[in-house]
Amino acid sequence: MRFVLARCAPFAIALGVLGIELSPAHDLVTGPVLSTTPALAALTMGPAGTLAAAAVAVAVNVTSATYNQSWGTQTQLIIGNFLGLIVVTVASVILSNAVRTRRQNELDQVRRIAVAAQEVVLRPVPELLGPLRAASLSLAAGSGALVGGDLYEAVRTRYGVRLIVGDVRGKGLSAIRAVAVALGAFREAVHYEEEVQEVMNHCAAALRREAAVRGTYSQAEPPEVLLEGFTTALIAQVPDEPVVHLVNRGHPPPLVLHEGRVRALMPASPMPPLGLEDLVDGPPAMPESHPFLPGDRLLLYTDGVIEARNRADEFLPLPEIMEEISAGTSPREFLDAVHRALVRHTGGRLTDDVAMILIDRLG
């Protein structure tokens, strides 16, 4: 709100000067006041806004001089006002360009650091995982330098291939900390826990421990991700048998593409996200099994995919898009096709981060 008012200030001053010039108080010298409008515009609107404010100031000068019939009697004063306005405008445009360039360089640097930090935590999945072909895709929303809270991983273990996709509430350092904690617990537990639900329990316990550590989060940035928020997560286990075992904690259901048709693997007993266990009484989450045959494709994704909207406020029709993609594409080509459809649907305006893992069963 304050930023909007600041951007309106130069034009409000110009209108105020115009009101004075068209009133009986037009004998007041308003030229120096009007010359400040390009300088004020340069602080908030960049070169284009600065030139617009200067154009409005010139229009006010011409209108007041014409209305008050000052061209013959005060020509030197009018020319002086114009010269002062030109000098201030040129200086303001130069200053605005320099400030904008510096800010952009700083923002680019912060973005590079943020992307590097996220890439350390989130690594691309291997293209081949035993009997599976795989690919991953991660897209950041247009949110400045904020790091998102999407997470994913795929690991081959003695129990089969195990995958996780999740979404931490929030952005920034708190979110990436929670992502690192959850993925660290997953990468450790997948090799030692025989039951897939115990892997999920390790992730939940790790997040609880992190939230309980005093001083982990600064007072300036409340730890809403862990203390007041939650993490949705889905863990899938693909053994040698033609099935997939799922433990879903409040996450969007995966989609399986079988013989050209897409089916959502909805949980029979929905469970709350990690961090909200105390709100629900009942048995612990147990894995649910679904057929996953040779030639099938399984897509794990975050809600940024299915909640992407177009200008008509319609959600992305992900199942229909999957069915339209050629069956002969590789997992990478498949995700690239989904990415292109997502960009077309949203017009390139992502409002939430996106993460996807696609796996093909070879045999």
Side-chain angles (χ1 to χ4, degrees):
M1 184 62 180
R2 293 179 180 177
F3 184 73
V4 174
L5 292 176
R7 299 186 71 175
C8 295
F11 303 103
I13 292 174
L15 289 176
V17 170
L18 182 62
I20 293 174
E21 292 292 338
L22 299 182
S23 72
H26 62 82
D27 289 335
L28 293 174
V29 178
T30 58
V33 177
L34 203 58
S35 297
T36 64
T37 56
L40 292 175
L43 299 176
T44 56
M45 290 186 290
T50 301
L51 292 175
V56 171
V58 170
V60 170
N61 264 328
V62 172
T63 301
S64 63
T66 303
Y67 180 81
N68 295 315
Q69 299 178 354
S70 302
W71 288 106
T73 59
Q74 299 182 6
T75 302
Q76 290 183 344
L77 179 61
I78 296 172
I79 294 176
N81 289 339
F82 281 131
L83 290 176
L85 189 59
I86 291 172
V87 171
V88 173
T89 299
V90 171
S92 298
V93 170
I94 295 174
L95 176 63
S96 179
N97 272 323
V99 170
R100 172 165 290 194
T101 301
R102 179 178 178 180
R103 288 178 179 173
Q104 187 61 47
N105 290 338
E106 291 176 349
L107 182 58
D108 290 342
Q109 177 68 11
V110 173
R111 282 175 174 166
R112 285 192 293 268
I113 294 173
V115 170
Q118 195 161 28
E119 288 178 348
V120 169
V121 179
L122 294 179
R123 57 197 182 200
V125 303
E127 295 182 0
L128 190 62
L129 292 164
L132 305 177
R133 291 191 304 169
S136 61
L137 176 66
S138 178
L139 302 173
S143 53
L146 291 179
V147 182
D150 287 359
L151 61 96
Y152 63 86
E153 181 62 288
V155 181
R156 186 181 182 185
T157 72
R158 54 180 171 173
Y159 308 110
V161 176
R162 288 176 166 177
L163 310 97
I164 184 172
V165 171
D167 188 359
V168 176
R169 177 175 175 258
K171 291 182 180 293
L173 292 179
S174 293
I176 201 63
R177 285 194 191 102
V179 168
V181 168
L183 285 180
F186 173 81
R187 289 165 178 162
E188 180 72 15
V190 288
H191 294 287
Y192 301 104
E193 293 295 342
E194 183 175 358
E195 302 298 332
V196 67
Q197 68 269 21
E198 290 301 322
V199 178
M200 182 71 81
N201 293 339
H202 272 276
C203 296
L207 289 171
R208 288 195 298 269
R209 288 194 302 270
E210 181 72 6
V213 176
R214 295 180 61 85
T216 302
Y217 298 91
S218 66
Q219 297 299 321
E221 182 184 6
E224 61 174 14
V225 174
L226 295 177
L227 298 183
E228 300 177 3
F230 53 85
T231 300
T232 66
L234 171 74
I235 293 182
Q237 176 174 300
V238 184
D240 293 335
E241 296 78 19
V243 296
V244 57
H245 306 300
L246 303 175
V247 177
N248 193 335
R249 295 293 299 271
H251 199 76
L255 301 176
V256 61
L257 179 61
H258 173 70
E259 296 182 351
R261 304 298 298 175
V262 171
R263 179 170 61 92
L265 304 183
M266 301 295 296
S269 301
M271 296 297 294
L274 305 180
L276 300 181
E277 295 89 351
D278 296 339
L279 302 181
V280 178
D281 295 328
M286 298 299 293
E288 299 178 2
S289 300
H290 302 271
F292 186 44
L293 305 176
D296 288 355
R297 285 183 156 166
L298 183 69
L299 180 67
L300 284 66
Y301 55 93
T302 57
D303 59 6
V305 181
I306 56 173
E307 293 181 359
R309 300 172 185 259
N310 58 13
R311 294 188 181 275
D313 208 32
E314 299 169 332
F315 291 117
L316 179 76
L318 183 58
E320 289 83 352
I321 291 172
M322 292 178 62
E323 292 175 353
E324 293 173 356
I325 299 175
S326 172
T329 58
S330 67
R332 169 51 52 197
E333 293 169 340
F334 190 96
L335 289 186
D336 288 342
V338 175
H339 180 199
R340 290 193 296 270
L342 180 64
V343 171
R344 287 195 303 269
H345 183 78
T346 62
R349 304 180 315 276
L350 287 179
T351 58
D352 195 5
D353 297 331
V354 166
M356 292 182 282
I357 294 181
L358 181 76
I359 54 173
D360 287 357
R361 181 179 280 281
L362 299 176

